Amino acid sequence: WCEAGGVISNCIVWNNTAYRYGGGVYGGKIIGSTIEGNSALLGGGAAYARLEGCVVQDHKLKVLHGGGVYECRADRCRISGNRARELGGGIYGGETRNSWVEGNSATGSRGDGGGSAMGMLWNCILRGNEARYGGGAALSALINCTVVGNSARDCGGAIDCAVTNGILYYNSGSPNANYEGGAYQWSCTVPLPAGLGNITNAPGFEDNAGGDYRLRWDSPCVDAGTNMAWMVPGQPGAVDLDGAERVRNNRVDMGAQEQPLGKPTLYVRYFAKDTAELKVRNMGPEAVEYRWYTNSYLTGTGQVAGSSIQLTGVPANSTNTMEAGRRVGGVWTPMAQAVWTQRDDVEAWLVCDEI
């Protein structure tokens, strides 16, 4: 155990036993350490501790609540392969941020929350957890979390949870696979729950089967969440699971990981005579490329320098198509398109449609 101000760093805490709290660690601050194979009634791995960059795994003996951690603050941790008889196979209570919670179980006759029970989680992925009720989470608050591939006899995803900016998909359980009860807003799941901003579209992971839950550029979850005060750049913790900016395009994505490219929004302003201007919002770190067609012929290509370019020599009364996109895996991928007819006597702005 640690005193309140004690610190353990770069250690292995293994095969210890406590009667009640924290089989491996009780109290203090634990940094960059592995906590493994310990046992206690409450918190097989740790209780009432602050964990940073730790692995908490394989706590399975005699744990009633909180197989991995009990009432801890965990940041950038991996909590996996733990088991509790009743509440919280991985996590019971406390706060968990920017962490992976996977392969935990709470499968006793009153087992709730294979991944988390009674906890508050931000920017976490909960996958492959199992419970009798609520395979991913139960009675928890989930903010920008991805809950996927969990299972339970009753509700594989989340049961009686408060979810904001979440993705709950591809879970299994009867009669409800992804969620049961609780409150949902700005989240992606099926069937459609009551609440603001919820959607049912498949989330569009990069590789669901391979465990890559980052969002593709065309995912409906990109720029589909609701911003919160803690996400403001410069605020402590205003990052996603990968440590990148939590909001990259003025509006947060759903799920634990912000899409790195974002969707460029394209505006075309065409002037009288022969001039048009292309503006792009959400440049992002990667270059935005354009292709310009006049009367179906390719007229020009290039990169958008800064946030706008000006096109000249646009024939009067010509039909023009402008596409903007990025290189994805080295392949040109159009993401937005505008079509207009150049007029001598009209000036207008167009917002391009996503492709």
Side-chain angles (χ1 to χ4, degrees):
W1 63 279
C2 288
E3 299 288 351
V7 178
I8 294 175
S9 180
N10 300 308
C11 290
I12 297 175
V13 182
W14 175 70
N15 202 28
N16 302 283
T17 300
Y19 171 71
R20 191 165 182 83
Y21 295 107
V25 174
Y26 179 89
K29 184 175 183 179
I30 320 301
I31 303 171
S33 296
T34 297
I35 305 170
E36 180 177 0
N38 306 283
S39 65
L41 189 66
L42 304 172
Y48 298 107
R50 176 157 185 170
L51 311 176
E52 296 182 0
C54 292
V55 175
V56 183
Q57 63 187 15
D58 295 333
H59 300 95
K60 299 178 179 178
L61 298 177
K62 303 178 182 178
V63 185
L64 182 65
H65 304 319
V69 297
Y70 182 91
E71 295 291 1
C72 290
R73 166 72 183 265
D75 296 287
R76 306 183 314 281
C77 292
R78 185 173 291 269
I79 301 169
S80 64
N82 305 286
R83 183 170 65 208
R85 294 199 305 272
E86 292 191 2
L87 298 178
I91 299 165
Y92 178 94
E95 299 182 5
T96 304
R97 299 173 184 263
N98 302 74
S99 297
W100 287 78
V101 183
E102 56 183 339
N104 305 284
S105 63
T107 54
S109 61
R110 298 178 57 190
D112 284 2
S116 169
M118 310 292 290
M120 296 186 66
L121 289 76
W122 290 262
N123 299 326
C124 292
I125 289 179
L126 296 87
R127 72 168 181 183
N129 301 287
E130 182 183 3
R132 192 174 181 88
Y133 307 101
L139 305 165
S140 296
L142 308 177
I143 303 168
N144 279 100
C145 289
T146 299
V147 182
V148 60
N150 304 281
S151 62
R153 191 186 75 169
D154 188 350
C155 187
I159 190 167
D160 295 332
C161 291
V163 180
T164 302
N165 296 339
I167 299 174
L168 295 87
Y169 235 86
Y170 307 123
N171 301 286
S172 61
S174 178
N176 303 297
N178 291 311
Y179 72 92
E180 181 178 311
Y184 292 80
Q185 58 178 348
W186 306 101
S187 293
C188 173
T189 189
V190 289
L192 183 68
L196 292 174
N198 296 315
I199 61 174
T200 60
N201 311 66
F205 295 133
E206 284 283 358
D207 183 4
N208 179 53
D212 185 350
Y213 305 116
R214 294 173 299 169
L215 302 174
R216 298 195 307 264
W217 70 267
D218 58 349
S219 165
C221 298
V222 172
D223 301 338
T226 183
N227 292 358
M228 306 175 79
W230 63 269
M231 300 173 181
V232 176
Q235 292 288 327
V239 295
D240 70 358
L241 175 63
D242 298 327
E245 287 183 346
R246 182 62 267 195
V247 180
R248 297 193 187 184
N249 186 30
N250 299 319
R251 186 173 174 183
V252 70
D253 297 346
M254 296 174 178
Q257 296 160 293
E258 197 77 0
Q259 210 283 332
L261 294 177
K263 298 177 182 177
T265 302
L266 180 66
Y267 303 86
V268 170
R269 180 185 186 188
Y270 58 92
F271 299 87
K273 306 300 182 186
D274 64 350
T275 304
E277 182 180 18
L278 167 67
K279 286 182 175 286
V280 178
R281 181 178 65 83
N282 182 27
M283 289 291 291
E286 294 79 13
V288 172
E289 299 183 19
Y290 72 89
R291 294 189 178 186
W292 170 32
Y293 299 85
T294 300
N295 295 330
S296 301
Y297 292 97
L298 182 63
T299 306
T301 63
Q303 291 188 354
V304 181
S307 60
S308 66
I309 59 169
Q310 194 169 82
L311 310 173
T312 57
V314 185
N317 300 314
S318 61
T319 299
N320 295 270
T321 301
M322 180 66 69
E323 294 179 346
R326 291 190 170 101
R327 297 277 170 177
V328 178
V331 178
W332 157 252
T333 304
M335 298 178 177
Q337 181 186 77
V339 178
W340 79 97
T341 299
Q342 189 77 13
R343 299 281 301 278
D344 286 339
D345 56 349
V346 176
E347 177 178 326
W349 280 105
L350 295 176
V351 179
C352 299
D353 295 324
E354 293 177 5
I355 297 176

